[in-house]
Amino acid sequence: MNNRLDLTKEFDRLVLKAGKLLLSKKRITEIIYNGKNTASAKIVNEPELRNVTAAGGNVYALWVKHKGSSVWKLVYIGQRKSRDIHTRLIDHLFKKSRKTGSKLREIKKELREGGRIGVTIIEIFPDEMRMAIEERLIVMQKRKKNHLWNVQS
């Protein structure tokens, strides 16, 4: 008796659909800082970021545009319950929580080097699927040899 149910093809179709939306560079909201020191900086476009997160989201991507480049590069894919998405992004962009694996160190390095930071957000329904979608997107990006800041998957 075979107990295996292979849903790879069906699931990958859903993941690709989510990825097409999440990884669309047209949807990037640039985070504009008032300085290179994130500890004391404020987001100049905080209302825009609040509008993006208020629209809903539970899977997000962080992007970097290196100094002198015109191309956004995907660097991180993450997930969080919708009600916590704004706080999670602030953890990545400004302050590191002891409980989470914030990418603040990497963000600070990019800003010191003259880079720019962007974010895209989507909302996956049902919410329980967000973790599986995130993990599969990371795996797919790593297979494409994209070097992400994600250490898991």
Side-chain angles (χ1 to χ4, degrees), residues 119-132:
V119 63
T120 52
I121 302 169
I122 62 170
E123 190 162 19
I124 300 294
F125 289 103
D127 186 67
E128 297 82 14
M129 292 292 295
R130 74 183 191 283
M131 291 178 275

Side-chain angles (χ1 to χ4, degrees), residues 31-69:
I31 306 304
I32 302 171
Y33 295 87
N34 67 352
K36 291 184 181 180
N37 180 358
T38 59
S40 62
K42 299 275 190 260
I43 299 178
V44 174
N45 60 335
E46 171 72 16
E48 186 177 359
L49 181 61
R50 282 213 177 270
N51 285 341
V52 169
T53 58
N58 53 12
V59 178
Y60 59 92
L62 298 178
W63 302 80
V64 168
K65 189 183 285 188
H66 298 292
K67 183 178 181 177
S69 176

Side-chain angles (χ1 to χ4, degrees), residues 102-145:
S102 169
K103 296 302 169 190
L104 184 57
R105 186 181 74 216
E106 291 87 345
I107 296 288
K108 286 181 177 182
K109 179 180 180 287
E110 289 297 334
L111 291 173
R112 278 193 308 272
E113 293 173 359
R116 295 158 60 187
I117 307 299
V119 63
T120 52
I121 302 169
I122 62 170
E123 190 162 19
I124 300 294
F125 289 103
D127 186 67
E128 297 82 14
M129 292 292 295
R130 74 183 191 283
M131 291 178 275
I133 297 282
E134 173 216 26
E135 187 170 331
R136 191 69 177 159
L137 281 170
I138 293 167
V139 167
M140 288 175 165
Q141 289 300 309
K142 288 185 175 183
R143 284 186 182 155
K144 292 180 179 180
K145 304 295 187 212

